[in-house]
Amino acid sequence: MRGEFPALHQSVYEDTPLVYLDNAATTQKPQVVLDRMARYYAHENSNVHRGVHKLSQDATDAFEEARQSVADLINAPSSDQVIFTRGCTESLNLVAQTFARPQLGPDDTVVVTHMEHHSNIVPWQMACEATGATLKVWPIHDDGTLDMEAGRQLLAEETFLLAMGHVSNALGTIHPVASIIDTAHAHGVPVVIDGAQSMAHLPVDVQALDADFYAFSGHKMFGPTGIGVLYGKYDLLDGLPPYHGGGDMIDEVSFDGTTYADLPHRLEAGTPHIAGVIGLGAAARFVRELDHEAVHAHEEDVLQYAHEQLAAIDGLRLVGTAPEKTSVCSFVFDDIHPYDAGTILDRLGLAVRTGHHCTQPLMERLDLPGTIRASFALYNTRQDVDRLVEGLDRVQTMFG
Amino acid sequence: MRGEFPALHQSVYEDTPLVYLDNAATTQKPQVVLDRMARYYAHENSNVHRGVHKLSQDATDAFEEARQSVADLINAPSSDQVIFTRGCTESLNLVAQTFARPQLGPDDTVVVTHMEHHSNIVPWQMACEATGATLKVWPIHDDGTLDMEAGRQLLAEETFLLAMGHVSNALGTIHPVASIIDTAHAHGVPVVIDGAQSMAHLPVDVQALDADFYAFSGHKMFGPTGIGVLYGKYDLLDGLPPYHGGGDMIDEVSFDGTTYADLPHRLEAGTPHIAGVIGLGAAARFVRELDHEAVHAHEEDVLQYAHEQLAAIDGLRLVGTAPEKTSVCSFVFDDIHPYDAGTILDRLGLAVRTGHHCTQPLMERLDLPGTIRASFALYNTRQDVDRLVEGLDRVQTMFG
Amino acid sequence: MADASSTIDERARAIVDDFSLFDDWIGRYEYLIEIGKKLPPMDDALKTDATRIHGCQSKVWIHTARDRDRMTMQGDSDAMITKGLAGLLIRVLDDQPPEAVREADLSFIDDIGMREHLSSTRNNGLHSMIEQIRTRAARLAESAEPASDSAVSSSNA
Amino acid sequence: MADASSTIDERARAIVDDFSLFDDWIGRYEYLIEIGKKLPPMDDALKTDATRIHGCQSKVWIHTARDRDRMTMQGDSDAMITKGLAGLLIRVLDDQPPEAVREADLSFIDDIGMREHLSSTRNNGLHSMIEQIRTRAARLAESAEPASDSAVSSSNA
Ligand SMILES: Cc1ncc(COP(=O)(O)O)c(C=O)c1O
Ligand SMILES: Cc1ncc(COP(=O)(O)O)c(C=O)c1O
């Protein structure tokens, strides 16, 4: 498995083998994804959807096959419900601008949880600000789980929309989205799921979840940068006004009035990120063909092992100890700044992230300046955890 | 030169060597661009701007170097004025949504030319529709040049904004944008230039042009897909409200109110298309290092030769015969449908585009169902034109 | 225009046989153009939005109607190749039971070297033509009531 | 805290000499941390928005003031490495003429193996610290009028 990911096999600072533990920020890419994109650029590169010539057809076929691969991965009823965007952030903004903003008014409420990523907060703040609607916050417990009772109350009030993550990028908490969506729907509240952190770790079935919208990024699921997905229920997507105007999204353009194309093209203006889409298709197939049980068991084992090893370190405190977690270990030292720890770990070849992880409201809630976060993917091992523990030992010696 | 572009060296339909004449749709990529992206994915892949670790620093350094390379290419006063978008279409929508829409009212007018690409029409239609403003059309002559007298009148009326292409993708006309911008500014009208078709052919100096905004796509200037640029004057960009909300574009996020980062980050929410930016930087350096005079002379020669050869064909009519043109030959047959011609040319290895080229209003104005368009880049040769002429001969035999 | 007693498969096989006489794509395309030229002219009054096949660079119309238990077809296009493709479909599917049309195996298009036109994304409309014809056939097959020609063709809108 | 009679370059050279005693990065970082620890404590009252250096993961404050023709500096950070970096700058730049600070060649940072902190994009603020100090020095150098300490530090906002 590790052999398939070229970026894992390198040293930093001359001779220190890299241990990549920043997978929640972005994952490395398997060779099949890189090869697929290289093939596109060397043999198929051409604009899609409009050409009669061979390259354009090949590119278009590959492009639409990729859309189907993504639809298959998330079990979308139709590939027309897979809208390509630049990334999860754009997907969420798209929903905020075209679904929420035209419907929101001063009496409406949008609910987000206290542990959302900025990308799932700011778009809603902007939509609320533009319309006078109110943004309400679903509170959390200290361990990084949602306060379910408070959430039920919020949903029972007149709520226009719930936007929440599937998995927390800062703490790793897996939220019980299926049952939350059930509850929300019982109150007539549609739900937008930020799936940025789930795709690389969990099987996602948008129909089983009954999600109204589901957003994610390619680069966090072994795919290329610059590409993401917005899945939506057909009728919801079909009801959206156009988002960007331009080539490909139109039926007929005239100065007397323009008519728009059908889904998915209506929401994809301009030349798309063709190489990115095709690469994402390869990543979707890569994920789909994994032995899910084995991968899940392995990831669980590494996470469990990391928890145990880290918990045993004096002066270190795990942040986020929900019973349902995946692949993220956030922690702090009593008396070492995360930045100091991160800097020394970096010199030891350990790529971890430190800081607020784009969840400032969560950090404020937990009264932390930030955390040190080790986030794993299927290619990480117990040995990587051992390297991390050795590194933390060194950090403590240096700052002790 | 041709040797640097791997996609040019292939055959289609088993044994027919490809002649790629669809460069206005997208250009092929030189090996330096592909290698740079491959290096990113194999050695630097990591999220930018937030990490203390080595990979993240390397990726961020490369990312911001690429921004500088693009700034250098267009002579932007500062790299902070280079905003990365998905492509030219998104750049134009960004200006329409954040610059025009908040300021437009029912008494305002936006002007576009009759030969704009849909991507430079529909965003303005949408902004006008949302605000009650009026979209006015700058008329053209039959040869594909602008009616300058009519344009001066439009600019003298109360006009909020002029949006126009630098080079027409359908006809190849080079518009005298520098002097038009002068005139517009004399009337206090800011100008948005759609530079999609200029970057691969003309030196572009945004300061010399005094353009207020300048938009273009990477994939049409030998760069990767999924990446584009919006350049703007500093004060104009700095005055824009945030566009997308999310990671990277914020200063501080709190449920009491969010503050935003400085340019360029404020307008770049979420994980950017890192590989695309870095690839675009390589493309910008590739273009900058060209021997511009030699390239220009070569492109002129090929275009001139193509004009002569095609004009000599009985029953064929050139569409777009402006004195100032670059690298696009559009034409029709008296009695052969463009689609028929394009299909046969394709089988002969000639990748041309047929149809309306995303300029339906222009086609309607010229009373054509579409054209056959051969568009050249610096790697095309007289031999390619000869192949095209042979192909057209075959087309005439088959449909004669 | 086609022999009503032959089945769809028989007609498709005949077409494959005809095309197999050519050993290069030029011959095959010339023959396809011939097929287009031989297509009986379509009444201009039938070239309406209801019969227009969308999603093509060229204009294409296919008019379908019921004639007792059969489905009849006429077609035209302003591009010759598209007209030839319409002609192929009409040769094979005209005057056949709608149930058969709905289920028809049209893989002969691949066998005659016109595979590129089958790409769902080629803007030529063969794919759209087939989709539209199948949809209309399905509607005819399902509607128990005998519909008049005009009723059927207007329901194509 | 620094010897006012030595020049910026002399002080920088002394630091490079100190650091050259270590032959691995661990020694150098430990020494950097030492430098931070030896930094004279900064009065909490000076830790304001006006003295805060933004764009860092850790909190950093640098207070600058004029003392006749010299520019004086105090600094602190909640992270030790950042504090060490602030300490380095203060060792070299404290109590020097603002003109010299504005023009100072700070390449010694590269020479002591702390090059990674010079990346404009590393969120540690060394780059921001240098920028801020230079801006303030330029302002001091240009302002003809003798400014009081507080006026200078509040104009840093
Ligand atoms: C003149 C012109 N403007 C705008 C565009 C839109 O560019 P993109 O599709 O890369 O967003 C194009 C290309 O299709 C073009 O040719
Ligand atoms: C939970 C979560 N949501 C949203 C995002 C935004 O994704 P992107 O930056 O790829 O748009 C991220 C990643 O940064 C994330 O972790």
Side-chain angles (χ1 to χ4, degrees):
Chain A
M1 178 58 75
R2 291 177 69 82
E4 298 180 35
F5 292 82
L8 297 177
H9 309 282
Q10 58 177 318
S11 293
V12 291
Y13 300 113
E14 274 116 64
D15 51 2
T16 318
L18 172 71
V19 177
Y20 186 74
L21 298 174
D22 196 15
N23 293 287
T26 199
T27 56
Q28 299 303 337
K29 323 303 175 200
Q31 197 62 49
V32 283
V33 168
L34 303 181
D35 288 349
R36 187 62 192 87
M37 289 194 286
R39 174 146 73 90
Y40 165 74
Y41 278 124
H43 294 294
E44 299 157 334
N45 177 60
S46 179
N47 214 321
V48 290
H49 292 142
R50 306 177 210 155
V52 293
H53 62 77
K54 184 76 170 64
L55 256 54
S56 180
Q57 287 172 62
D58 288 351
T60 307
D61 287 346
F63 187 90
E64 294 299 336
E65 261 167 52
R67 198 192 297 277
Q68 187 62 53
S69 296
V70 173
D72 292 344
L73 179 67
I74 60 172
N75 193 29
S78 149
S79 68
D80 292 346
Q81 290 163 261
V82 170
I83 309 297
F84 290 119
T85 64
R86 182 190 14 255
C88 188
T89 299
E90 189 184 26
S91 299
L92 295 166
N93 278 276
L94 198 167
V95 181
Q97 289 299 315
T98 62
F99 179 72
R101 190 174 160 173
Q103 296 187 64
L104 282 176
D107 297 335
D108 290 310
T109 302
V110 173
V111 173
V112 299
T113 86
H114 211 134
M115 55 200 303
E116 294 312 309
H117 187 280
H118 294 165
S119 290
N120 203 24
I121 296 175
V122 185
W124 310 111
Q125 281 185 320
M126 287 167 58
C128 288
E129 205 176 300
T131 57
T134 306
L135 188 69
K136 287 202 180 160
V137 183
W138 181 337
I140 61 168
H141 297 299
D142 288 344
D143 67 351
T145 56
L146 293 171
D147 179 339
M148 294 308 287
E149 193 37 48
R152 267 187 290 270
Q153 275 174 33
L154 280 168
L155 293 174
E157 294 161 21
E158 290 275 312
T159 295
F160 172 75
L161 182 92
L162 168 64
M164 66 176 292
H166 194 158
V167 171
S168 155
N169 69 305
L171 306 182
T173 314
I174 304 176
H175 299 300
V177 285
S179 80
I180 290 172
I181 290 172
D182 257 9
T183 310
H185 286 175
H187 296 288
V189 179
V191 185
V192 181
I193 300 291
D194 168 359
Q197 293 296 334
S198 50
M199 296 302 297
H201 304 292
L202 307 178
V204 170
D205 180 331
V206 289
Q207 294 189 73
L209 293 176
D210 201 22
D212 297 285
F213 293 101
Y214 200 96
F216 56 97
S217 287
H219 71 96
K220 292 187 201 273
M221 54 169 282
F222 316 113
T225 63
I227 190 74
V229 169
L230 175 66
Y231 159 83
K233 287 187 176 162
Y234 193 89
D235 291 344
L236 293 179
L237 286 179
D238 203 39
L240 299 183
Y243 173 52
H244 286 164
D248 255 23
M249 57 75 75
I250 56 94
D251 178 25
E252 296 208 20
V253 174
S254 117
F255 290 120
D256 302 328
T258 288
T259 54
Y260 301 111
D262 291 335
L263 290 178
H265 305 294
R266 185 169 65 238
L267 294 170
E268 295 176 354
T271 304
H273 180 8
I274 307 170
V277 165
I278 291 176
L280 179 59
R285 290 188 294 275
F286 171 81
V287 171
R288 198 148 176 258
E289 285 157 17
L290 291 170
D291 175 345
H292 285 278
E293 274 179 41
V295 167
H296 182 70
H298 173 74
E299 290 196 6
E300 277 284 284
D301 177 66
V302 171
L303 181 67
Q304 209 46 54
Y305 183 70
H307 273 168
E308 284 163 23
Q309 297 294 309
L310 293 175
I313 296 177
D314 241 20
L316 181 152
R317 181 160 63 85
L318 290 172
V319 182
T321 51
E324 296 290 323
K325 279 189 61 168
T326 184
S327 298
V328 171
C329 258
S330 248
F331 55 94
V332 290
F333 284 107
D334 293 340
D335 44 21
I336 302 172
H337 194 282
Y339 179 74
D340 286 331
T343 303
I344 300 305
L345 292 175
D346 169 46
R347 294 288 329 206
L348 295 163
L350 292 148
V352 299
R353 187 140 300 221
T354 61
H356 56 63
H357 316 299
C358 294
T359 56
Q360 287 178 355
L362 173 66
M363 292 299 134
E364 210 178 307
R365 162 68 182 76
L366 300 175
D367 198 16
L368 293 170
T371 73
I372 305 159
R373 181 187 73 184
S375 56
F376 306 100
L378 44 79
Y379 38 66
N380 290 113
T381 62
R382 283 183 173 226
Q383 284 75 8
D384 293 344
V385 176
D386 292 338
R387 284 273 307 273
L388 175 63
V389 171
E390 282 168 42
L392 292 171
D393 193 47
R394 163 69 66 185
V395 165
Q396 288 192 300
T397 315
M398 286 181 77
F399 298 97
Chain B
M1 177 58 75
R2 291 178 68 84
E4 298 180 35
F5 292 83
L8 298 177
H9 310 278
Q10 57 177 318
S11 293
V12 292
Y13 301 113
E14 273 117 65
D15 50 1
T16 319
L18 172 70
V19 177
Y20 186 74
L21 298 175
D22 196 15
N23 293 288
T26 200
T27 55
Q28 299 302 336
K29 322 303 174 200
Q31 196 63 48
V32 283
V33 169
L34 304 181
D35 287 349
R36 187 63 192 86
M37 290 195 285
R39 174 146 73 90
Y40 165 75
Y41 279 124
H43 294 292
E44 301 159 333
N45 177 59
S46 179
N47 214 322
V48 289
H49 294 141
R50 304 178 212 155
V52 292
H53 61 78
K54 184 78 170 64
L55 256 55
S56 180
Q57 287 174 61
D58 288 352
T60 307
D61 287 345
F63 187 90
E64 295 299 336
E65 261 167 51
R67 199 191 297 276
Q68 188 61 54
S69 297
V70 172
D72 292 344
L73 179 66
I74 60 172
N75 192 30
S78 150
S79 68
D80 292 346
Q81 291 164 261
V82 171
I83 310 296
F84 290 120
T85 64
R86 186 192 8 259
C88 187
T89 298
E90 189 184 25
S91 298
L92 295 167
N93 279 274
L94 198 166
V95 181
Q97 289 299 315
T98 62
F99 178 74
R101 190 175 159 173
Q103 298 188 62
L104 282 176
D107 297 334
D108 290 311
T109 301
V110 173
V111 173
V112 299
T113 86
H114 211 134
M115 55 199 304
E116 294 312 307
H117 188 279
H118 294 164
S119 290
N120 203 23
I121 297 174
V122 185
W124 310 112
Q125 281 186 322
M126 286 167 59
C128 288
E129 207 177 297
T131 57
T134 306
L135 189 68
K136 287 203 181 160
V137 183
W138 180 336
I140 60 169
H141 298 299
D142 288 346
D143 66 352
T145 56
L146 293 171
D147 179 339
M148 295 308 287
E149 193 35 49
R152 266 188 289 271
Q153 274 173 33
L154 280 168
L155 293 175
E157 294 160 22
E158 290 276 308
T159 295
F160 172 74
L161 182 92
L162 167 64
M164 66 176 292
H166 194 158
V167 171
S168 155
N169 69 305
L171 307 183
T173 313
I174 305 177
H175 299 300
V177 284
S179 79
I180 291 172
I181 290 172
D182 257 8
T183 310
H185 285 176
H187 296 287
V189 179
V191 184
V192 181
I193 300 290
D194 168 0
Q197 293 296 334
S198 51
M199 296 302 297
H201 304 293
L202 307 179
V204 171
D205 180 332
V206 289
Q207 295 189 71
L209 292 177
D210 201 23
D212 297 284
F213 293 101
Y214 201 96
F216 56 97
S217 286
H219 72 95
K220 293 187 201 272
M221 53 169 281
F222 316 113
T225 63
I227 190 72
V229 168
L230 176 65
Y231 158 83
K233 286 187 177 163
Y234 192 89
D235 291 344
L236 293 179
L237 285 178
D238 203 40
L240 299 182
Y243 173 53
H244 286 164
D248 257 21
M249 57 75 75
I250 56 94
D251 176 28
E252 296 210 20
V253 174
S254 118
F255 289 120
D256 301 328
T258 288
T259 53
Y260 301 111
D262 290 334
L263 290 178
H265 305 295
R266 185 169 65 240
L267 294 170
E268 293 177 355
T271 304
H273 178 8
I274 307 169
V277 166
I278 291 175
L280 179 60
R285 289 188 295 274
F286 171 81
V287 171
R288 200 148 174 256
E289 287 157 15
L290 289 171
D291 175 345
H292 284 278
E293 275 179 41
V295 166
H296 182 70
H298 174 74
E299 290 196 6
E300 278 284 285
D301 177 66
V302 171
L303 182 67
Q304 211 44 53
Y305 184 70
H307 273 167
E308 284 162 24
Q309 297 294 308
L310 292 174
I313 296 176
D314 240 20
L316 182 151
R317 181 159 64 85
L318 290 173
V319 182
T321 50
E324 296 290 324
K325 280 189 60 170
T326 184
S327 297
V328 170
C329 258
S330 248
F331 55 94
V332 290
F333 283 107
D334 293 340
D335 44 18
I336 303 172
H337 194 284
Y339 179 75
D340 286 331
T343 303
I344 299 307
L345 291 175
D346 169 46
R347 294 289 328 206
L348 294 163
L350 292 148
V352 298
R353 188 139 301 221
T354 61
H356 55 63
H357 316 299
C358 294
T359 55
Q360 286 177 357
L362 173 65
M363 293 297 135
E364 211 177 305
R365 161 70 180 74
L366 300 176
D367 198 17
L368 293 170
T371 72
I372 305 160
R373 181 187 72 185
S375 55
F376 306 101
L378 44 80
Y379 37 67
N380 290 115
T381 61
R382 282 184 173 224
Q383 283 76 8
D384 293 344
V385 176
D386 292 338
R387 283 274 307 272
L388 175 62
V389 171
E390 282 170 40
L392 292 171
D393 193 49
R394 164 68 69 186
V395 165
Q396 287 192 302
T397 316
M398 285 181 78
F399 297 99
Chain C
M1 64 161 287
D3 172 7
S5 68
S6 61
T7 67
I8 290 177
D9 284 351
E10 282 162 4
R11 294 184 194 171
R13 226 169 302 128
I15 289 176
V16 173
D17 286 347
D18 289 351
F19 271 84
S20 69
L21 299 176
F22 305 100
D23 45 29
D24 68 356
W25 66 269
I26 297 185
R28 289 194 296 272
Y29 266 93
E30 283 174 341
Y31 190 60
L32 182 73
I33 294 163
E34 274 313 299
I35 290 174
K37 286 187 178 157
K38 285 193 191 136
L39 198 61
M42 182 177 185
D43 186 346
D44 277 349
L46 293 177
K47 295 178 183 174
T48 64
D49 252 15
T51 59
R52 174 93 182 264
I53 307 287
H54 286 273
C56 323
Q57 272 196 20
S58 50
K59 291 188 183 146
V60 200
W61 302 266
I62 304 263
H63 177 262
T64 52
R66 160 174 286 187
D67 180 8
R68 274 148 309 145
D69 63 340
R70 299 277 162 153
M71 178 170 169
T72 63
M73 279 174 224
Q74 295 179 59
D76 199 4
S77 170
D78 62 346
M80 303 285 269
I81 288 174
T82 316
K83 192 168 174 180
L85 294 167
L88 276 182
L89 292 179
I90 289 173
R91 272 201 188 190
V92 173
L93 301 174
D94 180 41
D95 206 15
Q96 291 282 355
E99 297 76 13
V101 172
R102 186 183 52 189
E103 313 294 338
D105 170 10
L106 298 176
S107 58
F108 76 97
I109 292 163
D110 203 350
D111 299 336
I112 62 171
M114 295 288 147
R115 145 174 247 142
E116 66 252 35
H117 294 282
L118 276 180
S119 156
S120 67
T121 49
R122 193 179 168 100
N123 283 331
N124 69 357
L126 179 61
H127 190 83
S128 309
M129 284 187 248
I130 293 173
E131 294 264 293
Q132 269 295 312
I133 291 172
R134 282 199 207 277
T135 308
R136 298 182 198 175
R139 222 181 288 141
L140 284 181
E142 278 155 28
S143 75
E145 328 96 89
S148 79
D149 275 13
S150 67
V152 169
S153 63
S154 72
S155 78
N156 292 340
Chain D
M1 63 163 288
D3 173 8
S5 69
S6 60
T7 66
I8 292 178
D9 285 352
E10 283 163 3
R11 295 186 193 169
R13 225 171 302 128
I15 290 177
V16 173
D17 286 348
D18 290 352
F19 271 85
S20 69
L21 299 175
F22 305 100
D23 46 28
D24 68 356
W25 67 268
I26 296 185
R28 288 192 297 270
Y29 266 92
E30 283 173 341
Y31 190 60
L32 182 73
I33 294 163
E34 274 315 299
I35 290 174
K37 285 187 179 157
K38 286 193 191 135
L39 198 60
M42 181 178 187
D43 186 347
D44 276 350
L46 294 177
K47 297 180 181 170
T48 63
D49 254 14
T51 60
R52 174 95 183 261
I53 307 287
H54 287 271
C56 324
Q57 272 196 22
S58 49
K59 291 188 185 146
V60 200
W61 302 267
I62 305 264
H63 176 262
T64 51
R66 157 175 287 189
D67 181 7
R68 275 150 306 147
D69 63 338
R70 300 276 162 155
M71 178 169 168
T72 63
M73 281 176 222
Q74 295 182 59
D76 199 3
S77 170
D78 62 347
M80 302 286 269
I81 288 173
T82 315
K83 193 169 172 179
L85 295 168
L88 277 183
L89 292 179
I90 289 172
R91 274 200 186 193
V92 172
L93 301 175
D94 182 38
D95 206 14
Q96 291 282 355
E99 297 76 14
V101 172
R102 186 182 54 186
E103 313 295 338
D105 169 12
L106 299 175
S107 58
F108 76 97
I109 292 164
D110 201 351
D111 299 336
I112 63 172
M114 294 289 148
R115 144 175 247 142
E116 66 253 35
H117 295 282
L118 276 181
S119 156
S120 68
T121 49
R122 192 177 171 104
N123 283 331
N124 69 358
L126 179 59
H127 190 82
S128 310
M129 283 186 248
I130 294 174
E131 295 263 294
Q132 270 296 311
I133 291 173
R134 280 198 208 277
T135 308
R136 296 182 200 175
R139 224 182 286 141
L140 283 181
E142 279 156 28
S143 76
E145 329 93 272
S148 80
D149 275 11
S150 66
V152 171
S153 63
S154 73
S155 79
N156 292 339

